[in-house]
Amino acid sequence: MDRITLINELMTKKKLTNYLEIGVFNGRVFFRVKSTFKVAVDPFFAFDSLRKIGKLFINPYNFFNRFFEKKSDDFFAQDADRVFDNKKVQLSLIDGMHEYRYALRDVENTLKYLSDDGVIIMHDCNPVTKEEAGTFEEWKAKEFKGQWNGDVWKTILHLRTFRDDIDVFVLDCDQGLGIVTKRKPESRLSFTQAQIDQFTYEDFDKNRAAWINLKQPDYIKGYFNL
Ligand SMILES: C[S@@+](CC[C@H](N)C(=O)[O-])C[C@H]1O[C@@H](n2cnc3c(N)ncnc32)[C@H](O)[C@@H]1O
């Protein structure tokens, strides 16, 4: 299962209409989402107006898209209250800056606007090599070549440690799709902030299934009655 399949299955079967994507790049996922109210946030969209118009013909749901070409922190500080004033977020893909604290702020900010039965999907939660789990600086030094998941896995550890009001697990597919809902947590972790900060990729690799609450992709079907 990949993120676009999961997103559109949730959209269709749960009859959702409101979608937020943080980190959109060329819109490969965003423009294919079947949702009447879609919000895109990215400091550098990798598409122009012509591509936006073209996407209208491919997927008519793109008619009411709203684009915010800025960092997610700025979007939440400047626009989110107005944008989500009478429309709660029902489904969100968080796929912006793949660093622990950035991803954490994106999740915590999105939770403020998420409907009670809403769903957050976080990309890049299960890096399979140390290289893919490196820092932004390391990825930049490689001229942004190859896959970069960063340390979003630490965001999962943080949420499972410090939040008792959300359920968090990761599907073992598409580089690790983190799922966050406002349900009671199935299980939690008991790390300190200092421990999370100090954990290395090797620590993660030894404990990944337990730490990120890794589930087989099919788990999602029972979880959401799909
Ligand atoms: C991996 S790409 C997103 C891919 C897209 N979601 C998909 O599924 O095909 C990551 C994007 O995050 C954007 N980004 C980086 N920092 C960001 C930030 N602070 N806020 C929002 N987006 C950010 C980058 O510009 C880049 O386009």
Side-chain angles (χ1 to χ4, degrees), residues 31 42 98 184 203 212:
F31 287 120
D42 195 306
H98 302 154
K184 285 221 171 322
D203 298 322
I212 60 173

Side-chain angles (χ1 to χ4, degrees), residues 34-66:
K34 294 174 181 166
S35 167
T36 48
F37 180 71
K38 299 200 278 181
V39 178
V41 179
D42 195 306
F44 310 105
F45 288 127
F47 48 81
D48 55 16
S49 302
L50 211 59
R51 185 168 157 90
K52 283 188 201 169
I53 294 167
K55 294 297 171 188
L56 266 176
F57 295 99
I58 290 165
N59 177 7
Y61 282 103
N62 288 316
F63 196 74
F64 297 107
N65 289 345
R66 299 196 61 184

Side-chain angles (χ1 to χ4, degrees), residues 3 21-25 28-29 41-44 71-72 93 95-98 102:
R3 54 198 183 284
E21 186 168 319
I22 295 172
V24 173
F25 188 53
R28 187 167 61 104
V29 167
V41 179
D42 195 306
F44 310 105
K71 291 181 176 176
S72 51
L93 174 65
D95 194 12
M97 175 52 96
H98 302 154
Y102 268 94

